[in-house]
Amino acid sequence: MLRIIPFYPTEAKLVTALKRGEARAQKVVYERYSGKMLAICVRYVANRADAEEVMIDGFMRIYEKIDQFREEGSFEGWMKRVMVTESLMFLRKKKAWRQEIPIEDMGVEPDYHWAETSLESEDLMRLVNQLPDGYRTVFNLYAIEGYSHAEIAEMLKISEGTSKSQLSRARTLLQVGLKKIQEYHYEEAYRKTAN
Amino acid sequence: MKKHTEKQPIDDLFARKLGDMSITPGPKSWDELQNRMGREQNPRIVPVWYRYAAAAACLVLVGGIGWKVYQTSESAKPTTAVLANAGNDSNKAGSRKAEAGRIENLTTADTVRQQMAQVATEVPASAPENIGTIQKVKARQQQEKIPVDAPGPSPVTSQTPEEERMVARIPAPTEKLPVAPIEAPKPVVAESLKPGLREEPSERKLVVMINTPVLATSKASEVAGAIGVESVNKPETIEEEGLSKASKLFKKLKRIKNGEALAYKGETGDEEDSGLISRLYGNVRQSLETKKDSKQ
């Protein structure tokens, strides 16, 4: 299946066509970027079906607000921000980031080198999706999107302290999750060699 | 947004693995997106097909006009030809005589006028007397006219205006005469021709002028030669000088009535009434080309 239609060789031409409201350009944008945009939505929303809904809303927002895009940064970066905003709006409706769960700190760091080489993106995504909404949101915004605690506090209407504590908890939970996967893999490998 | 200077290894791991991750959406999500856009973005979608609709409307309009013009030009040819035929059949002999008689009348009338002018110059110039002489001359002219008309062929001089009109109409389509097939004649066109001719009859010259094109003059010269009148060429010169403007206007009017002006270039070479169709065609072609360009 041909996923990328070879029209609009440059991003600038694509954006110009989008600003004119060309249906073909809208389709091309969807074909090129829907995968990445859906991944962002899944990372925030955690539920695949909800994430697709959010992504569709995000693309509609992109088509509507394309006139607001100034060619200062990259178009893809702008679209990612639109998707993040859309995801946050969805989570805000759920009043998601106020949950707290008790965490038992295992105190042992996972093997990051092993995780890097052995784990797929899908495995890590599953770990992120298992986080409570508030932790996940702050972790996504801080660790992956690169926002500061001040910005996150502003965006989520929470205090910076809350943002920091939620990030810390999110990290701990992820570390625990990585550790569990790691242990499971080691056990499997040991069983195979024993047999 | 700022990049964090010290990045924890767990942040780094997730950022690298998930930052550029891609998940293919379900096959129906694009349709869903389009559905929602159809609901909420109607004004954006309208102009796309609106252009095509406008182009189609233009084509239909041009096609309609072309068909109408074609139809009218087709129907105009046979009716005038039939009229001409009918006129030839019924009035052939009479019309020839009539032409000859009228030409004779004109020439004799001209000689009378010249004589009158001579008489007028011979009379001594005093105002009241002048008036008197003019009146006398007029009276003499009337007296002289009677004997002038008398020797001409009697059925010709007593022509009714209707006959004159018929005669006038005969030579007009001389070129089309041999080509045109005889089909159901349309009286409507004939009626529409009449008023145009009726406006002119006060001037005798005009009637003669319309008769004169190639075939008519040759006929007239034949008859005139038989009777013995020599100055047949005189009406032609009058036509060229006096009536060029009026006749052009008249021809144009007639052509517009026949619908020819839309279809063909005017025989007179006028640019004004020519090429309406070609101009329309040019416009359509231009719009099509611009459309192509924009598509490319």
Side-chain angles (χ1 to χ4, degrees):
Chain A
M1 186 182 139
L2 184 69
R3 291 209 56 235
I4 296 174
I5 302 168
F7 287 103
Y8 312 111
T10 64
E11 205 169 69
K13 285 186 179 176
L14 183 59
V15 169
T16 310
L18 269 185
K19 284 182 177 176
R20 282 201 299 265
E22 285 182 21
R24 185 182 292 275
Q26 292 174 349
K27 172 90 174 173
V28 167
V29 165
Y30 179 84
E31 294 282 346
R32 276 189 198 168
Y33 297 108
S34 57
K36 279 186 180 179
M37 299 305 135
L38 180 58
I40 292 170
C41 296
V42 169
R43 186 152 50 81
Y44 278 86
V45 173
N47 176 295
R48 171 67 188 260
D50 288 344
E52 284 212 18
E53 291 289 312
V54 171
M55 180 202 70
I56 289 170
D57 288 341
F59 271 108
M60 284 176 61
R61 193 60 54 92
I62 286 166
Y63 300 152
E64 283 169 12
K65 308 280 181 185
I66 187 67
D67 287 332
Q68 293 177 7
F69 170 63
R70 306 273 170 262
E71 278 89 1
E72 291 157 3
S74 82
F75 178 53
E76 188 179 331
W78 180 74
M79 287 202 300
K80 279 182 177 176
R81 286 198 292 280
V82 171
M83 289 295 169
V84 169
T85 308
E86 205 67 35
S87 301
L88 294 181
M89 281 170 63
F90 175 84
L91 292 171
R92 196 173 285 131
K93 283 178 198 161
K94 286 173 68 183
K95 298 192 188 295
W97 40 80
R98 305 216 174 260
Q99 307 161 0
E100 299 257 343
I101 56 164
I103 298 165
E104 46 163 328
D105 196 344
M106 294 167 83
V108 184
E109 289 272 307
D111 184 350
Y112 290 115
H113 179 70
W114 169 85
E116 183 82 43
T117 52
S118 305
L119 290 182
E120 298 292 327
S121 298
E122 286 74 14
D123 301 323
L124 296 180
M125 181 69 92
R126 217 169 290 129
L127 278 179
V128 171
N129 287 348
Q130 285 168 3
L131 291 174
D133 289 342
Y135 298 179
R136 188 178 61 246
T137 305
V138 173
F139 180 78
N140 273 325
L141 288 171
Y142 186 90
I144 300 175
E145 261 69 57
Y147 289 103
S148 68
H149 283 298
E151 288 168 323
I152 293 167
E154 172 72 26
M155 287 162 81
L156 302 183
K157 305 281 184 269
I158 54 173
S159 69
E160 270 189 59
T162 309
S163 175
K164 280 177 184 171
S165 74
Q166 292 210 329
L167 175 67
S168 160
R169 287 164 185 269
R171 278 176 182 155
T172 307
L173 282 176
L174 289 174
Q175 285 169 343
V176 170
L178 276 178
K179 191 86 181 145
K180 281 183 180 171
I181 295 173
Q182 198 178 332
E183 283 172 2
Y184 176 77
H185 271 266
Y186 283 159
E187 283 172 16
E188 282 287 301
Y190 177 74
R191 228 175 277 153
K192 275 180 188 168
T193 51
N195 291 336
Chain B
M1 203 196 306
K2 67 171 189 198
K3 293 285 165 195
H4 311 297
T5 46
E6 43 157 330
K7 206 164 192 178
Q8 297 228 355
I10 188 146
D11 292 3
D12 197 39
L13 172 71
F14 278 88
R16 266 187 281 115
K17 286 272 184 184
L18 300 184
D20 276 333
M21 194 186 172
S22 183
I23 301 173
T24 308
K28 286 178 183 172
S29 59
W30 170 249
D31 296 334
E32 175 65 19
L33 173 57
Q34 284 213 308
N35 281 344
R36 289 196 203 173
M37 280 167 62
R39 273 208 306 271
E40 296 179 18
Q41 296 191 332
N42 259 335
R44 273 205 177 178
I45 291 164
V46 164
V48 177
W49 61 263
Y50 194 74
R51 283 186 203 157
Y52 292 104
C58 276
L59 283 177
V60 166
L61 193 73
V62 169
I65 290 170
W67 184 75
K68 188 80 185 168
V69 165
Y70 174 76
Q71 212 187 22
T72 48
S73 64
E74 279 292 296
S75 63
K77 278 181 192 173
T79 46
T80 47
V82 165
L83 252 177
N85 277 344
N88 273 350
D89 292 342
S90 60
N91 293 25
K92 235 175 197 174
S95 67
R96 279 182 188 177
K97 282 176 189 172
E99 285 160 19
R102 237 179 295 120
I103 289 156
E104 198 184 10
N105 275 348
L106 259 177
T107 49
T108 48
D110 280 346
T111 50
V112 167
R113 265 178 224 144
Q114 281 171 6
Q115 285 169 5
M116 275 159 45
Q118 279 174 358
V119 169
T121 47
E122 279 165 20
V123 172
S126 66
E129 273 184 49
N130 251 348
I131 294 163
T133 50
I134 288 164
Q135 282 170 350
K136 277 176 193 171
V137 168
K138 275 185 180 172
R140 221 201 271 170
Q141 190 189 348
Q142 282 172 354
Q143 282 172 356
E144 280 175 3
K145 256 197 174 175
I146 298 159
V148 164
D149 286 351
S154 59
V156 175
T157 45
S158 64
Q159 248 178 1
T160 60
E162 250 194 319
E163 274 179 73
E164 273 184 23
R165 256 176 257 128
M166 287 297 282
V167 171
R169 227 174 296 136
I170 293 160
T174 41
E175 290 167 13
K176 291 170 189 172
L177 217 148
V179 190
I182 300 169
E183 284 175 19
K186 283 188 179 175
V188 185
V189 181
E191 286 298 324
S192 70
L193 280 171
K194 273 182 182 174
L197 284 158
R198 257 179 208 159
E199 287 168 11
E200 315 294 338
S202 60
E203 286 184 79
R204 265 204 117 113
K205 293 171 190 172
L206 180 65
V207 177
V208 174
M209 187 281 292
I210 292 162
N211 272 331
T212 45
V214 195
L215 213 135
T217 46
S218 62
K219 280 180 194 172
S221 63
E222 281 171 25
V223 183
I227 297 168
V229 179
E230 286 176 17
S231 58
V232 189
N233 289 333
K234 207 170 180 180
E236 277 186 2
T237 54
I238 293 166
E239 163 205 346
E240 280 170 16
E241 287 167 17
L243 296 164
S244 56
K245 280 184 183 176
S247 66
K248 268 185 186 175
L249 198 72
F250 176 66
K251 274 182 183 174
K252 213 183 271 181
L253 265 173
K254 209 166 90 177
R255 214 171 280 124
I256 287 164
K257 272 176 187 168
N258 289 344
E260 285 175 14
L262 284 173
Y264 312 116
K265 282 202 165 189
E267 285 169 20
T268 48
D270 286 347
E271 288 293 315
E272 297 149 24
D273 62 345
S274 70
L276 261 178
I277 279 288
S278 67
R279 244 180 278 162
L280 269 174
Y281 173 69
N283 285 342
V284 168
R285 204 175 51 183
Q286 204 180 352
S287 70
L288 280 173
E289 279 172 3
T290 50
K291 216 173 276 174
K292 262 185 201 170
D293 290 343
S294 67
K295 271 183 184 175
Q296 281 171 355

